Amino acid sequence: MSGVVLWFTGLSGAGKSTIAELVGRELEANGAVVEYLDGDVVREHLSKGLGFSKEDRDTNIERIGWVASRLARHGATVIVSAISPYAETRAQARALVEEFAPFVEVHVATSVEECARRDVKGLYAKARSGEIKEFTGVSDPYEAPESPELVIDTESQTPEESAQQILSYLEAQGLIPAAS
């Protein structure tokens, strides 16, 4: 049985990891084998040494897509939470995964202003002052998905409501069993 890949994309601070964790916990509680590929963690272990140029970002996302495809092929539910700013590279990741399993793109659509307001690390302020170069949403582009399976508006709903929206979608699509 093949798994599924839930690909959370959005700006830094949009809520990708928070929502991904809530969705994953619910899926695990219902018996799914869940693997998490968080962009920051992957950069630390699989993509160490890569910078933030477009080429390096593309390489990082291609690696995540390849790993996700292999895990999903063996039945895992793979939850990716990575900024993945470029549409073309997300499409390449989708193509890798869809050889083996469904790919569900989840656009965590949060304005750059809201992301900056939530930013506890001060990354947006550092990017705006020029201290951080090539920061997505400030000095580097974020290409929002044109037709994701889901758009999550974290400015109008809680993380729990967002997770429920995703779980309801997965159930309606037959990608997870119906809640009993």
Side-chain angles (χ1 to χ4, degrees), residues 12-103:
S12 177
K16 298 177 301 297
S17 297
T18 300
I19 298 165
E21 186 176 310
L22 291 169
V23 169
R25 272 191 266 166
E26 186 66 29
L27 294 173
E28 287 172 327
N30 289 312
V33 174
V34 177
E35 291 292 341
Y36 297 89
L37 296 175
D38 182 87
D40 291 339
V41 176
V42 169
R43 274 191 169 276
E44 187 177 316
H45 297 287
L46 183 64
S47 295
K48 194 174 223 153
L50 289 180
F52 291 91
S53 67
K54 181 176 186 324
E55 182 180 83
D56 283 356
R57 289 173 194 252
D58 287 349
T59 298
N60 186 49
I61 297 307
E62 288 166 8
R63 289 177 182 175
I64 294 171
W66 186 83
V67 171
S69 75
R70 295 311 182 253
L71 292 168
R73 182 175 81 172
H74 293 287
T77 297
V78 183
I79 299 178
V80 174
S81 50
I83 294 170
S84 34
Y86 306 115
E88 182 179 347
T89 313
R90 286 193 308 269
Q92 290 169 350
R94 177 186 288 271
L96 282 169
V97 167
E98 287 182 335
E99 285 184 50
F100 306 106
F103 183 99

Side-chain angles (χ1 to χ4, degrees), residues 26-27 29-31 163-164 166-180:
E26 186 66 29
L27 294 173
N30 289 312
Q164 189 53 57
I166 295 162
L167 292 164
S168 295
Y169 173 86
L170 295 173
E171 186 179 314
Q173 297 300 308
L175 297 172
I176 61 171
S180 46

Side-chain angles (χ1 to χ4, degrees), residues 85 87 90 107 142-147:
R90 286 193 308 269
H107 178 207
Y142 176 76
E143 299 170 356
E146 289 186 18
S147 55

Side-chain angles (χ1 to χ4, degrees), residues 150-167:
L150 284 163
V151 176
I152 304 298
D153 180 357
T154 66
E155 293 180 57
S156 68
Q157 60 188 20
T158 66
E160 292 77 15
E161 290 167 334
S162 298
Q164 189 53 57
Q165 180 183 349
I166 295 162
L167 292 164

Side-chain angles (χ1 to χ4, degrees), residues 100-143:
F100 306 106
F103 183 99
V104 177
E105 187 174 42
V106 180
H107 178 207
V108 183
T110 310
S111 69
V112 70
E113 295 78 20
E114 178 63 16
C115 290
R117 190 188 67 72
R118 296 176 183 174
D119 182 19
V120 294
K121 297 178 190 172
L123 299 175
Y124 281 92
K126 289 178 182 176
R128 287 188 174 128
S129 73
E131 193 177 329
I132 297 176
K133 307 286 184 215
E134 302 172 318
F135 191 80
T136 303
V138 176
S139 53
D140 207 56
Y142 176 76
E143 299 170 356

